[in-house]
Amino acid sequence: MSSAAEFGGWIAGRSAAELAEPFTFVVDTDGVLRLAPRRSEHVACAGGGVVLSAGEIGFVREADVWAVGEVSNQSTGYCPDVTSWAAVARALDRAGLGRPSGFTHEVVFRRCPDCQEHNIVREDDFVCVFCGSDLPQKWNVDPTA
């Protein structure tokens, strides 16, 4: 979505059932917000390309305008860092959408340096659930690395 008009046209075509649940989103390397049904894969939504962020997003209607009600970086396809919020904020501003000041639900992803598995860190427990190794404090799930 490159503009408020483009988003308006897209959202007008969604059913009530679709609007009742979050959508899959990515922000591509041009900073454009791409949206797909929730059950879509993030990598498919991005056309297999590199992204600046990815996750799930829900919209609410407030005073006759659309805004973001919830947004997360929950994407096991890309495992984006919580710092990817800046790219999401720019894309939402570009699309003319009201938004929160950050992810409403943050997911902390890390790649295990020993077994290479991707992990979701819960309750600040930086231990690999697959092999028990310590996980780094700094995000390390870079697909280009």
Side-chain angles (χ1 to χ4, degrees), residues 54-137:
E56 293 187 349
I57 190 166
F59 301 101
V60 294
R61 189 91 166 140
E62 295 178 344
D64 294 329
V65 296
W66 287 100
V68 175
E70 59 182 316
V71 59
S72 76
N73 63 317
Q74 173 102 21
S75 167
T76 55
Y78 285 106
C79 303
D81 191 27
V82 296
T83 60
S84 69
W85 170 254
V88 177
R90 285 189 301 275
L92 294 173
D93 291 348
R94 184 179 189 183
L97 292 165
R99 61 174 175 80
S101 59
F103 288 119
T104 56
H105 175 73
E106 293 182 340
V107 180
V108 177
F109 293 102
R110 295 297 185 270
R111 181 175 38 84
C112 178
D114 290 342
C115 73
Q116 301 301 307
E117 292 289 340
H118 291 159
N119 285 255
I120 294 176
V121 176
R122 301 180 198 284
E123 299 176 3
D124 289 326
D125 186 18
F126 286 82
V127 175
C128 179
V129 297
F130 300 99
C131 72
S133 296
D134 289 338
L135 297 172
Q137 293 291 314

Side-chain angles (χ1 to χ4, degrees), residues 7-52:
F7 178 80
W10 179 85
I11 199 83
R14 306 288 65 91
S15 69
E18 286 179 293
L19 293 171
E21 62 182 18
F23 293 90
T24 293
F25 84 87
V26 298
V27 177
D28 68 21
T29 55
D30 291 329
V32 175
L33 178 68
R34 294 184 182 192
L35 298 166
R38 183 178 194 185
R39 288 162 190 81
S40 301
E41 291 294 327
H42 291 93
V43 176
C45 182
V50 175
V51 300
L52 302 177

